[in-house]
Amino acid sequence: MKAHATNAEIQNVVRMVEELEYRGHIITGVERSVVACVGDERGPQHSLAHLESVAGVERVMGFCT
């Protein structure tokens, strides 16, 4: 999230993440928060990339293990 993202913006992102069938976990740091998205990306209907255009979001990063 952006450094000055509001709590409402963070909660909105979590809601959107959960609508895509992920679990959203908020990690609060000193300067910014991170919304970790845990789940299985099973195709374009579960893609998180579009969240970059949501208010308060700085960038979307993907990690696979």
Side-chain angles (χ1 to χ4, degrees):
M1 301 295 297
K2 293 181 180 176
H4 300 289
T6 66
N7 188 50
E9 290 171 333
I10 294 168
Q11 293 302 320
N12 182 51
V13 169
V14 170
R15 180 188 55 75
M16 294 175 76
V17 162
E18 291 175 349
E19 286 176 357
L20 292 171
E21 300 179 3
Y22 290 90
R23 285 178 288 159
H25 299 278
I26 301 170
I27 303 166
T28 304
V30 174
E31 293 187 23
R32 68 188 68 239
S33 295
V34 173
V35 177
C37 306
V38 180
D40 182 18
E41 189 169 342
R42 298 170 294 242
Q45 72 274 19
H46 288 84
S47 176
L48 297 169
H50 75 281
L51 294 176
E52 285 197 351
S53 64
V54 175
V57 174
E58 183 172 329
R59 70 177 170 254
V60 175
M61 301 169 60
F63 296 97
C64 297
T65 59

